[in-house]
Amino acid sequence: MSDRTPVDFWFDPLCPWAWITSRWIHEVSALRPVEPRWHVMSLSVLNEGRDLPEEYRGFLDNAWGPVRVCIAAEQKYGSEILGRLYTELGTRFHDQGKPKDRATIEEALRAADLDPALADAAGTDEHDAALRASHHDGMDRVGYEVGTPVIDVEGAAFFGPVVSPIPRGEAAAKLWDGVRLVAGTEGFFELKRSRTRDPIFT
């Protein structure tokens, strides 16, 4: 893999938009010489102290558990297992619509060949210092007005792309080429339009 360009990707496993982007990166890695490297960020950490709608605040209260489990798994096994665990969590949370609870997390851990007892980390702040460090490593590269996903490739960091449905095959590779071009342009900051559809995971 030494001839492949590292692509650092920060995710919160509860974010459906990050999940779509992560599946796009998998498509890209089959057609371009890139190697995803996975890192955890936290929407709960990002939004601490912000005045938010009650519904979203409830979502964030439930978002601590999965990121804490991801960080605990990384600390026990190393960062190379994060992509596998993220795939198992995201498949259940988003594709299958399973509850975002301990039973689903344990199921994902088993499927990733990891210790299901790591689900205990969801209810403790034991690993929060490492979680915050990983979060800030990603967010410091792009600023705090954005969320997840954050991608850094060869020093060009950006939020997104936010896209639905998942680009596949050559369409995925074509989007990657365009994103690289835009992100690598000195002084380029933003390109955006209103979302007109919900996340589509197929």
Side-chain angles (χ1 to χ4, degrees):
M1 294 295 182
S2 60
D3 59 337
R4 300 177 74 85
T5 300
V7 176
D8 291 291
F9 189 112
W10 278 262
F11 67 91
D12 184 313
L14 256 60
C15 178
W17 298 103
W19 174 245
I20 290 175
T21 307
S22 75
R23 299 311 93 182
W24 164 67
I25 286 291
H26 277 291
E27 292 282 320
V28 171
S29 67
L31 295 167
R32 296 291 186 267
V34 300
E35 181 64 20
R37 300 191 303 196
W38 305 96
H39 310 275
V40 183
M41 66 84 68
S42 169
L43 291 170
S44 298
V45 172
L46 180 67
N47 287 284
E48 283 180 321
R50 295 185 180 179
D51 186 17
L52 301 167
E54 194 62 34
E55 181 180 355
Y56 191 58
R57 188 170 298 283
F59 168 83
L60 293 176
D61 287 344
N62 293 323
W64 282 104
V67 292
R68 284 170 165 168
V69 170
C70 286
I71 285 292
E74 180 184 32
Q75 297 225 307
K76 181 171 183 176
Y77 294 102
S79 60
E80 64 275 5
I81 59 85
L82 276 177
R84 191 166 79 241
L85 178 56
Y86 182 28
T87 291
E88 298 299 343
L89 287 168
T91 297
R92 286 160 178 78
F93 290 163
H94 305 298
D95 296 349
Q96 299 173 3
K98 290 191 174 183
K100 299 171 179 65
D101 59 12
R102 184 186 177 103
T104 301
I105 291 171
E106 287 182 347
E107 182 182 305
L109 287 163
R110 290 190 185 94
D113 296 321
L114 304 174
D115 183 1
L118 285 167
D120 291 343
T124 174
D125 62 3
E126 178 182 355
H127 302 284
D128 280 9
L131 171 61
R132 291 176 185 277
S134 179
H135 172 86
H136 287 294
D137 183 28
M139 300 308 298
D140 287 350
R141 302 171 191 232
V142 292
Y144 287 78
E145 297 81 24
V146 300
T148 181
V150 167
I151 294 174
D152 189 321
V153 53
E154 296 186 320
F158 52 90
F159 161 69
V162 176
V163 61
S164 179
I166 303 164
R168 302 288 188 183
E170 285 299 330
K174 184 178 179 180
L175 176 59
W176 174 253
D177 294 341
V179 168
R180 285 291 311 270
L181 177 63
V182 168
T185 299
E186 176 66 26
F188 183 88
F189 296 107
E190 189 168 350
L191 179 69
K192 188 173 182 177
R193 57 186 170 192
S194 297
R195 300 176 196 175
T196 58
R197 63 180 65 165
D198 292 329
I200 301 171
F201 304 122
T202 55

